[in-house]
Amino acid sequence: MIGQDNIFKSHMDTSSVFKGDRDILRPSYIPEQLPHREEQIQDLASIMVTALRGNRPSNVLIFGKTGTGKTAVVRFLEREVNRLKRENSESELDDEFGDYDVDRVEYVYVNCEVVDTHYGVMKNIGNKFVDEWSDQIPFTGWPMEKVYDSLREKIDEEPRVVVIILDELDKLVTKNGDSVLYHLSKINSELKNSKVSLIGISNNLKFTEFLDPRVKSRLGEEKMIFPPYDAEQLKDILADRAGQAFESEILGNDVISLCSALAAQEHGDARRALDLLRVSAEIAEREKDENVTTDHVYRAKNKIEQDCVREAVNTLPTHSKLVLYSILLIGDNGGSKLTTGEVFSAYSELSKRSGMDPLTQRRITDLISELDMLGLINARVKSFGRRGRTKEIQASVPKRDIIDLIESDESIESVKHLNIHGGKQTTLI
DNA sequence: TGTCCACTGGAAGGGAGGGCTT
DNA sequence: AAGCCCTCCCTTCCAGTGGACA
């Protein structure tokens, strides 16, 4: 029982704008229909049906920008296979699917952005086939060859077709090279009972340039490219999900159109469109509004952008935070565009004053590049002739907010009251 | 046309930290 | 306990670079 004065009480009394499960609006939710991806589903299904006959389907490489439905399509088919398996076992009819044998098909999904080492990928795949904790491949400690041998033995324990999905594959390859792909793509020649097929998913069309030619040809037996959605298609997708998530009268007239249009500007990203709609509804709900309006959408857009930046800053390692902090501080006091040398001087001074050993300039150039990749700063290489060649650096986040955020970090709290000037003769006041 | 600056960014390797094997 | 493996973070070294300037 929750008492009258419970902290949650006032929030529980408000009615929700959501009809039921709000996860329907999360990008990870796989709906019953995937609008505007019917063709891709059919194409992939025509390749994967080979697995149901007990044969190895061709390896597939899937390319497309963020939020174009790559993962959704692959997982949609995985779910369909699992559904067939369930129906097969419930019906208890062995010949339900003629010469098809769905029970022997296993899907293994690995997101290479989360698991981004050779060892981690091999371990994750191998452990899908182990129930006992004691038989699991440990998360570190084994030589790679042993992990690979163990993985191969586990897969080969019984006859089956294993479909390994490697999502965000470009992240793994650009970071660690192609040795996992080399092993996995030649694994079939070493298996007696089972067969392995690979589905690689990538945002980056060019990542195959990093691959050994043998790996490239084995992996790219089939290629699929997912085009971005246009605003109209996004509208259909949102309308489909909104119908499941909300009562029909909750959404204002132009809410779906606006979410679609905003997401279409960002290379047709359905994930972005769904996030916008979900966050808009959450804002409306929090403010006890009965309808979701375009005003909520604009505020959701700002909130998502702000949250992304704050999240990125919060998760930075200490030295990266100090580098960003230096850029914000001397950018504040001096000229708006800074050089690597200026940033390094300021950073060194700050580190020393806060009792930390500064990293080398070489390392700081890497940290600056990382901050640039995260979109927290703009850094581009520029030559100043006789005055050398360096990066021109400029913050691209709201200065005051981010300075406050960094100062709230306990590990570098001591820099809070330090003040520095820009320039090469950086001094602390 | 050659010089020079202030770096850039690749390569190699050290060492700490996690853990397994013998 | 000693030896080994893998990953991550970092340093050291150094060839290469674009463009202003003499």
Side-chain angles (χ1 to χ4, degrees), chain A residues 61-64 70 202 204-205 207-208 223-226:
Chain A
L61 274 180
I62 300 176
F63 299 101
K70 306 181 294 296
S202 165
N204 182 358
L205 252 169
F207 95 97
T208 54
K223 286 190 184 124
M224 295 175 71
I225 296 177
F226 281 44

Side-chain angles (χ1 to χ4, degrees), chain A residues 79-96:
Chain A
R79 191 185 63 193
E80 290 303 300
V81 168
N82 289 333
R83 190 175 282 171
L84 273 182
K85 277 171 142 177
R86 263 202 317 279
E87 287 171 7
N88 198 26
S89 65
E90 281 163 14
S91 69
E92 292 178 2
L93 287 171
D94 291 342
D95 58 351
E96 170 88 0

Side-chain angles (χ1 to χ4, degrees), chain A residues 153-184:
Chain A
E153 280 167 21
K154 289 178 198 312
I155 288 179
D156 213 21
E157 266 167 4
E158 51 187 270
R160 55 186 155 204
V161 180
V162 178
V163 180
I164 299 174
I165 304 157
L166 298 168
D167 205 349
E168 314 261 4
L169 184 55
D170 47 318
K171 302 274 167 35
L172 179 72
V173 172
T174 47
K175 195 174 167 201
N176 295 299
D178 60 3
S179 91
V180 166
L181 291 179
Y182 177 78
H183 279 108
L184 289 178

Side-chain angles (χ1 to χ4, degrees), chain A residues 275-337:
Chain A
D275 281 342
L276 269 173
L277 186 59
R278 192 192 76 250
V279 176
S280 307
E282 283 172 355
I283 291 175
E285 184 180 55
R286 219 166 297 145
E287 296 181 351
K288 302 183 173 121
D289 291 333
E290 284 176 6
N291 296 300
V292 183
T293 65
T294 51
D295 178 53
H296 293 126
V297 178
Y298 284 117
R299 280 156 61 198
K301 179 172 180 278
N302 284 336
K303 182 174 187 306
I304 290 171
E305 280 161 10
Q306 275 176 22
D307 286 355
C308 275
V309 169
R310 294 181 76 84
E311 171 73 13
V313 173
N314 266 327
T315 52
L316 288 176
T318 306
H319 285 283
S320 298
K321 274 187 187 159
L322 273 183
V323 173
L324 179 60
Y325 191 66
S326 311
I327 294 168
L328 291 169
L329 277 189
I330 60 177
D332 241 2
N333 298 342
S336 54
K337 285 188 178 168

Side-chain angles (χ1 to χ4, degrees), chain A residues 309 313 324 328 397-407:
Chain A
V309 169
V313 173
L324 179 60
L328 291 169
V397 289
K399 290 186 178 177
R400 201 59 253 171
D401 283 1
I402 301 303
I403 284 177
D404 289 345
L405 184 64
I406 295 175
E407 284 177 348

Side-chain angles (χ1 to χ4, degrees), chain A residues 24-27 29 31 34 237-246 274:
Chain A
I24 288 169
L25 292 178
R26 293 201 184 270
Y29 176 82
L34 285 175
I237 294 169
L238 284 189
D240 185 54
R241 299 272 186 112
Q244 298 174 56
F246 306 113
L274 288 164

Side-chain angles (χ1 to χ4, degrees), chain A residues 335-363:
Chain A
S336 54
K337 285 188 178 168
L338 307 161
T339 65
T340 301
E342 288 164 345
V343 172
F344 179 67
S345 307
Y347 154 82
S348 302
E349 195 106 2
L350 268 180
S351 303
K352 285 180 202 153
R353 287 296 189 102
S354 55
M356 278 179 270
D357 286 337
L359 304 177
T360 57
Q361 183 154 342
R362 175 69 188 83
R363 181 70 187 131

